[in-house]
Amino acid sequence: MPFFRRALTLIFVVATVSGAGAEDPGDRIRQADLKSDLFTLAGDAMRGREGGTLDEMTASMWIAERARQAGLKPAGDNGTYFQFFPLERYRVSASSVVKLGGRALRMGRDVIPDNTVLADVDAPVVMASATDTLTSVAMTGKALVIRYVPPPAPAPLPGQSNPNQASGLRTWMRGVQRTVAPQNPAAIVAIVPDEFKDQWDRTAYTFPRGTYALDTDGTAEPRVPMRGVPMLYVRESALSGALAADAHLAASIFTDSFQYPSVNIIAIAPGRDPKLKSEYVLYSAHQDHDGVRYPVNGDDIWNGADDNATTAVALLAIGRAVVAAPGKRSSLFIWHGSEERGLMGSRWYVKHPTVPLTSIAAVLNGDMIGRNDPNTAALLGAVGAHRNSPELVDMALAANKAVTKFTIDSSWDDPAHREGWYYRSDHLSYARVGVPAIFFTTLLHPDYHTPNDNPDRIDLAKLTRMTRWMYATGRAVSDAPKKPAVDPNFKLERCRDSTGDYCGK
Ligand SMILES: [Zn+2]
């Protein structure tokens, strides 16, 4: 009994101390909530949340309902949590006709287009045996046919993109295209030997998806795809042996176009200061991922747990904390749709903002915040060419020092970094229009854009800490006497080398 009594007393004292008005609203960001939201959003039932599909809609409805339960108010169109926008999709039509050496090739099976262009080609074939002789081949008005020989694979850098998922075939094709462009071929045809079946299968799997564009003005006027030089892959075994010297390529390439809805989810927690509440701290994530795709080890659902269910559920947790203890400025939460299609949701939002862009004090965007070394994190837009608001960066660094104490890695902010990471998430759309913007991330890993990006691989403690860092930064912005200033000299240009390619590739 005495022992029990002492224990009771101790518990009482602890409870008194933590209840004595010292509660940090950031403590409402709980690992258990993040975990349960993460496993739902990145679970197989959400089917990878692909932008412009019903799966993205399902996930978006779920997020909106969770935002409502968190106490956030709708701030989308017509009193809803949603801002719908149209995506345009183009692809080479399966009814396109390609004949090589008199042999009709089946679209998608024997021949796969690399680019979405309209084309009518009837041209003699010119063969090239290796890429290093290409500049000496006369090919103006002819169809260049070249057999694919993979270049030696570059050694992957630690922590960078998974070399297995990059398509060496397509990279090689781009190299050929750049080399021969001045020689004006009528078409480029790569013969793909059957030993590269895996590369072939991945490319064939991608073909029906086509390419996506954003109709930013929302006029829904279908644009006509451009005529261009078709680039085609042909399966070697689909040909009956070597091509004759006088072989021709005859190709009529048509395109299909479609329109699909995608959606931003927009919610708000009003600020408590009567004046400052008309300014906003924008917490930003994207809810979409890659959907159901090419299977790896029998798993075809690309769940995108780190990318970007982590930040999507972080915003819900931040929402609960902000609702419990509102800051002076209002907090705006946007889950952007179709980020994986090319930052579509954020590009749409800056053209169709629901609050004046000048009233957004800062954008705190997160993308992939739950992997890699537990004590290291990255803040992009923090140094050099990508930093559009030194004051905002200082607030984020101070919040980290006070609350989360990560070691900050800013090396990926280097404009010559080969991944160009700064250019690959939604803060970019806001930085381009002069809104202070930073990017919280824990960077790449080998499961990036593979079916292995699953919730059980997320470091939940780290996710919780990253969420608290975003929240603490937002809290500082919300309560600051003045909103962070934009660097007037900020100018965003992605570094390109002498060949016009991005630096460091
Ligand atoms: Zn992402």
Side-chain angles (χ1 to χ4, degrees):
M1 282 301 279
F3 175 79
F4 182 57
R5 186 171 297 163
R6 262 202 303 277
L8 252 188
T9 311
L10 187 65
I11 289 166
F12 179 72
V13 169
V14 169
T16 308
V17 169
S18 71
E23 197 210 357
D24 179 348
D27 294 343
R28 289 173 187 265
I29 294 165
R30 294 186 190 100
Q31 184 169 319
D33 296 340
L34 287 162
K35 180 181 180 183
S36 103
D37 284 347
L38 178 76
F39 275 73
T40 303
L41 190 59
D44 282 354
M46 294 289 184
R47 291 171 44 85
R49 316 181 300 279
E50 182 162 9
T53 72
L54 279 176
D55 301 325
E56 183 188 42
M57 291 297 154
T58 304
S60 299
M61 300 303 132
W62 180 84
I63 288 171
E65 174 57 15
R66 291 296 282 158
R68 190 189 65 76
Q69 290 167 3
L72 297 173
K73 304 275 176 252
D77 292 337
N78 306 316
T80 73
Y81 287 97
F82 306 109
Q83 179 186 47
F84 290 93
F85 59 91
L87 290 184
E88 290 173 352
R89 173 183 170 204
Y90 303 102
R91 70 175 182 199
V92 168
S93 172
S95 61
S96 300
V97 177
V98 176
K99 279 185 183 174
L100 184 57
R103 197 174 184 92
L105 301 173
R106 297 167 299 174
M107 186 58 64
R109 290 185 166 194
D110 305 328
V111 58
I112 313 163
D114 180 274
N115 51 355
T116 310
V117 293
L118 287 168
D120 244 314
V121 176
D122 191 350
V125 159
V126 57
M127 301 285 294
S129 55
T131 48
D132 54 2
T133 59
L134 283 175
T135 47
S136 59
V137 177
M139 62 182 77
T140 303
K142 297 180 181 171
L144 170 67
V145 175
I146 179 166
R147 193 163 184 269
Y148 173 57
V149 180
L157 298 181
Q160 299 206 341
S161 298
N162 180 1
N164 297 329
Q165 77 103 24
S167 171
L169 180 59
R170 297 194 75 186
T171 307
W172 171 86
M173 178 66 115
R174 302 288 141 153
V176 172
Q177 181 204 19
R178 270 201 306 275
T179 307
V180 304
Q183 294 151 269
N184 296 313
I188 303 172
V189 178
I191 305 294
V192 182
D194 289 20
E195 65 189 276
F196 304 113
K197 183 177 184 312
D198 185 59
Q199 296 236 24
W200 174 271
D201 285 349
R202 282 165 190 259
T203 310
Y205 204 87
T206 311
F207 146 71
R209 306 187 106 77
T211 54
Y212 284 77
L214 187 64
D215 175 18
T216 42
D217 52 10
T219 53
E221 290 283 340
R223 287 176 309 164
V224 181
M226 304 253 290
R227 302 192 76 81
V229 176
M231 298 192 284
L232 304 168
Y233 302 103
V234 172
R235 195 162 52 83
E236 189 166 52
S237 55
L239 300 171
S240 50
L243 291 173
D246 62 348
H248 264 242
L249 172 77
S252 296
I253 312 274
F254 313 104
T255 58
D256 302 325
S257 64
F258 312 85
Q259 218 177 52
Y260 298 96
S262 183
V263 66
N264 292 329
I265 308 143
I266 309 177
I268 189 178
R272 64 172 204 277
D273 184 283
K275 255 194 175 151
L276 293 180
K277 70 189 289 189
S278 61
E279 294 179 356
Y280 302 87
V281 180
L282 169 46
Y283 296 96
S284 157
H286 71 85
Q287 79 273 24
D288 69 307
H289 191 62
D290 281 346
V292 179
R293 296 200 172 198
Y294 187 74
V296 176
N297 299 328
D299 183 3
D300 63 356
I301 302 179
W302 297 41
N303 297 90
D306 193 32
D307 187 7
N308 188 19
T310 49
T311 318
V313 303
L315 261 56
L316 292 169
I318 292 168
R320 290 177 206 115
V322 172
V323 166
K328 290 182 178 170
R329 291 186 174 80
S330 296
S331 298
L332 189 61
F333 296 80
I334 306 186
W335 292 262
H336 296 96
S338 295
E339 187 268 359
E340 303 285 6
R341 303 277 195 217
L343 315 185
M344 301 295 188
S346 54
R347 284 167 53 201
W348 179 266
Y349 186 84
V350 298
K351 293 267 185 187
H352 305 270
T354 55
V355 301
L357 290 177
T358 51
S359 71
I360 300 175
V363 174
L364 312 182
N365 180 51
D367 202 346
M368 302 171 62
I369 59 168
R371 293 287 298 260
N372 293 323
D373 182 279
N375 293 313
T376 304
L379 183 72
L380 278 88
V383 294
H386 302 152
R387 184 178 62 177
N388 77 339
S389 174
E391 290 176 12
L392 175 59
V393 172
D394 288 348
M395 287 178 183
L397 295 179
N400 177 55
K401 216 170 192 180
V403 181
T404 41
K405 300 178 172 58
F406 283 110
T407 303
I408 306 296
D409 175 2
S410 281
S411 62
W412 292 48
D413 237 344
D414 184 341
H417 194 286
R418 79 169 188 184
E419 289 290 345
W421 199 236
Y422 179 81
Y423 291 83
R424 291 163 59 177
S425 194
D426 291 309
H427 57 279
L428 182 70
S429 306
Y430 295 89
R432 282 198 194 287
V433 295
V435 179
I438 45 176
F439 173 22
F440 298 80
T441 174
T442 55
L443 301 168
L444 282 176
H445 46 79
D447 297 331
Y448 171 72
H449 284 226
T450 76
N452 299 327
D453 182 4
N454 289 325
D456 57 0
R457 298 194 177 191
I458 299 301
D459 178 345
L460 294 166
K462 185 172 187 180
L463 169 59
T464 308
R465 219 166 132 195
M466 287 297 289
T467 306
R468 288 188 174 149
W469 182 23
M470 288 182 72
Y471 167 75
T473 305
R475 183 82 204 186
V477 176
S478 181
D479 290 345
K482 272 183 61 201
K483 57 181 183 177
V486 186
D487 179 349
N489 298 316
F490 175 73
K491 200 165 131 250
L492 206 53
E493 272 173 30
R494 186 162 174 191
C495 172
R496 288 175 188 267
D497 64 23
S498 56
T499 69
D501 206 355
Y502 291 126
C503 293
K505 289 277 168 184

